[in-house]
Amino acid sequence: MLEDRRCVLSRGYRRTCEREDDWACMNYELGKFDAKKNGKRQLEIDGDEEVCVRKLSKQSDDCERLDLTLTLFDISVSQADQSAKQHQAGDTSDSGSLIHQIGWDNSISCLSRCSRSDYGSIASLNRSFRSVIRSSELYRLRRENGVIEHWVYFSCRLIEWEAFDPNRRRWMRLPMMASNESFKCSDKESLAVGTQLLLFGKELMSHDMSHVMSPVIYKYCILTNTWSSGMRMNAPRCLFGSASLGEIAILAGGCDSDGNILSSAELYNSEKGTWKTLPSMHKPRKMCSAVFMDNKFYVIGGIGGSESKCLTCGEEFNLETNSWTEIPNMSPVRTGVAREFDVPATAEAPPLVAVVRNELYAADYADMELRKYEKERKIWVTVGGLPERAGSMNGWGLAFRACGDQLIVIGGPRAVGEGYIEVNSWVPTEGPPEWNVLAQKQSGNFVYNCAVMGC
């Protein structure tokens, strides 16, 4: 029985399955006690969904995680079987100390080094494992040990969200959001910070017999696999720039509910759930982008001024000195092929920028070029092209993100009606840009929102 269960878990790492996982890996109710099966705890699997995993990367750390997970599973299932025998004998105590053989601290250390794709299976073993998997302490320990896995979260159907694990090349669906219809039609910004995915927008609210669109924030937590709402920042805004670093994030600029362009900024701590007002930027700006680089926060481009023109400068926020510095010509203004016609500044997407290993890159959707920012000379240089299928509408609908040590481009074809997207990847340390297709799936070909969570 033990070997059979071990094979069920390990088989998922060796096979390719085209079916999409309905977030089985985060289903904390998978393991159930069934008295009809000799009183033993069975790991229930819905078809192949729990083991529906594409071929794992050949990297040594993935192999080590697999061995660790299987060993942990062996010990835990054996322990669970022993607990079931005790249950039959009248001992109803829970096997609550995780892995008895190695103790609590070592058990937690082992769990922190397992892939979080396996946490759903591990959580199904007993209540103690489930409680630990749903604890933020486990992810704090992962950060301390340098164990970080980056997953891409994106939406191609307004409020329907999916996640993609680039290591396992596995698609997963998030639960549906319980939002009203007006939220679907509002401008939305997304941000992944810590173990949370935040989605900012507006909803139609009733106040004193009147109906107004009010800012709202929806929060998805990977610990509970649920959405919630009700959180508010100090100065609600939309069309802002944002970026995260571990458990903190900074949001800067944007517009208030009256359409006024803001220079203010706030810092969000996802572990404490607090918002802190920061000093204001030198220039108000909306529709800007933001990144963390060299442990500093940068706001790039955007629209500002009395004539609502594109800003070419950027601003750097130093967390140690709590101050802003303006940087001229930091926005990746196009220098290549001229566009056939100009579009209003407000019709273009914010700059498509991302940071890998403290190097800043930009995607020029019009000229289909990839550029890199040379920090010493403070100039942009073209380093290659974008994937052929990186179609967009003035930059909208195309996702360009850093995902660990690689750049990720998610997009569909330029032609209308082709309902699928591709995930393309390039690792800058491996030479000139050569984009590899990590995955392709049937979906809408317009990416509304995208964020990368590393935890």
Side-chain angles (χ1 to χ4, degrees):
M1 176 65 72
L2 177 60
E3 184 62 26
D4 289 343
R5 295 182 190 181
R6 191 179 194 274
C7 289
V8 166
L9 184 64
S10 65
R11 187 168 64 245
Y13 296 85
R14 302 190 185 104
R15 61 180 298 190
T16 299
C17 178
E18 297 302 327
R19 290 176 57 191
E20 180 180 279
D21 191 340
D22 193 9
W23 206 251
C25 69
M26 296 301 291
N27 185 352
Y28 300 109
E29 303 300 328
L30 282 174
K32 299 179 181 178
F33 182 80
D34 189 346
K36 294 182 180 180
K37 296 183 179 179
N38 301 321
K40 293 185 178 181
R41 193 183 193 90
Q42 303 291 324
L43 180 63
E44 295 185 353
I45 299 174
D46 182 9
D48 283 335
E49 289 196 349
E50 180 62 24
V51 294
C52 178
V53 184
R54 295 179 184 271
K55 187 176 181 181
L56 188 62
S57 167
K58 299 300 182 181
Q59 297 178 359
S60 59
D61 57 343
D62 289 330
C63 295
E64 290 174 1
R65 285 180 183 173
L66 171 57
D67 291 340
L68 179 60
T69 301
L70 295 176
T71 300
L72 176 66
F73 190 76
D74 282 352
I75 297 174
S76 303
V77 171
S78 177
Q79 182 175 295
D81 287 346
Q82 181 63 32
S83 177
K85 292 177 182 178
Q86 294 174 356
H87 182 89
Q88 282 186 312
D91 182 0
T92 58
S93 62
D94 182 34
S95 55
S97 58
L98 298 183
I99 308 172
H100 299 305
Q101 292 90 330
I102 62 175
W104 179 271
D105 290 341
N106 288 331
S107 299
I108 298 297
S109 181
C110 285
L111 285 173
S112 71
R113 288 171 169 81
C114 291
S115 171
R116 63 185 179 104
S117 286
D118 299 320
Y119 280 176
S121 299
I122 295 172
S124 70
L125 293 170
N126 61 42
R127 290 193 298 272
S128 296
F129 277 107
R130 184 160 58 251
S131 177
V132 170
I133 295 300
R134 297 180 69 164
S135 167
S136 60
E137 181 69 15
L138 183 61
Y139 287 90
R140 182 193 64 77
L141 186 60
R142 286 170 65 90
R143 287 199 303 271
E144 291 181 358
N145 293 333
V147 181
I148 299 177
E149 295 173 86
H150 293 86
W151 287 12
V152 185
Y153 294 77
F154 65 97
S155 171
C156 290
R157 292 189 176 93
L158 294 178
I159 62 171
E160 295 183 25
W161 279 81
E162 297 182 75
F164 178 70
D165 177 357
N167 292 321
R168 302 280 180 84
R169 304 193 182 186
R170 183 181 189 180
W171 303 94
M172 291 155 282
R173 286 192 296 268
L174 273 62
M176 287 290 293
M177 299 171 55
S179 61
N180 62 38
E181 288 297 318
S182 59
F183 183 77
K184 295 181 180 179
C185 303
S186 68
D187 291 320
K188 291 180 282 292
E189 286 81 32
S190 59
L191 169 66
V193 51
T195 57
Q196 302 172 2
L197 171 66
L198 306 183
L199 187 60
F200 303 80
K202 293 182 179 180
E203 283 187 340
L204 190 62
M205 304 290 184
S206 296
H207 298 288
D208 301 325
M209 303 301 292
S210 62
H211 298 281
V212 296
M213 293 291 287
S214 299
V216 62
I217 304 174
Y218 281 89
K219 178 178 70 177
Y220 170 76
C221 179
I222 68 172
L223 304 180
T224 60
N225 190 35
T226 57
W227 289 93
S228 61
S229 61
M231 179 171 56
R232 292 179 64 87
M233 65 179 82
N234 294 326
R237 65 191 71 207
C238 64
L239 303 177
F240 51 82
S242 66
S244 63
L245 182 66
E247 72 278 10
I248 68 166
I250 296 180
L251 294 75
C255 293
D256 62 15
S257 56
D258 295 323
N260 299 310
I261 302 178
L262 304 174
S263 61
S264 60
E266 297 190 38
L267 184 147
Y268 173 65
N269 188 307
S270 61
E271 289 193 345
K272 299 178 181 178
T274 57
W275 294 89
K276 175 185 176 182
T277 300
L278 300 177
S280 294
M281 297 183 292
H282 293 281
K283 285 184 169 61
R285 60 183 75 206
K286 67 177 181 178
M287 298 179 69
C288 48
S289 297
V291 295
F292 271 97
M293 181 170 59
D294 299 319
N295 291 319
K296 296 177 181 178
F297 176 77
Y298 292 85
V299 179
I300 300 171
I303 297 172
S306 58
E307 298 180 0
S308 294
K309 290 187 176 181
C310 289
L311 299 174
T312 60
C313 64
E315 297 202 35
E316 170 196 278
F317 181 73
N318 189 318
L319 280 76
E320 295 182 357
T321 62
N322 204 40
S323 61
W324 291 92
T325 302
E326 187 172 321
I327 303 176
N329 303 318
M330 196 177 186
S331 184
V333 179
R334 294 185 192 90
T335 58
V337 179
R339 291 172 293 174
E340 295 181 2
F341 55 89
D342 290 328
V343 297
T346 53
E348 292 191 82
L352 301 175
V353 293
V355 170
V356 172
R357 289 184 174 268
N358 287 316
E359 298 291 346
L360 177 61
Y361 297 87
D364 185 339
Y365 69 87
D367 295 332
M368 294 298 289
E369 290 182 347
L370 176 68
R371 293 153 129 204
K372 180 180 178 181
Y373 184 68
E374 293 191 357
K375 291 181 282 188
E376 296 297 327
R377 297 196 294 164
K378 292 183 171 56
I379 62 171
W380 288 92
V381 295
T382 299
V383 295
L386 293 176
E388 293 182 1
R389 292 180 50 77
S392 70
M393 297 175 60
N394 297 327
W396 302 105
L398 177 67
F400 179 74
R401 296 287 186 271
C403 188
D405 290 338
Q406 57 188 332
L407 284 171
I408 293 285
V409 175
I410 305 179
R414 294 175 180 270
V416 178
E418 296 187 54
Y420 64 97
I421 60 170
E422 280 185 353
V423 180
N424 291 273
S425 164
W426 170 58
V427 180
T429 58
E430 295 182 354
E434 291 186 6
W435 296 95
N436 298 313
V437 179
L438 292 183
Q440 184 183 91
K441 81 181 297 282
Q442 290 185 331
S443 176
N445 56 8
F446 190 96
V447 182
Y448 290 98
N449 292 98
C450 181
V452 174
M453 185 185 300
C455 59

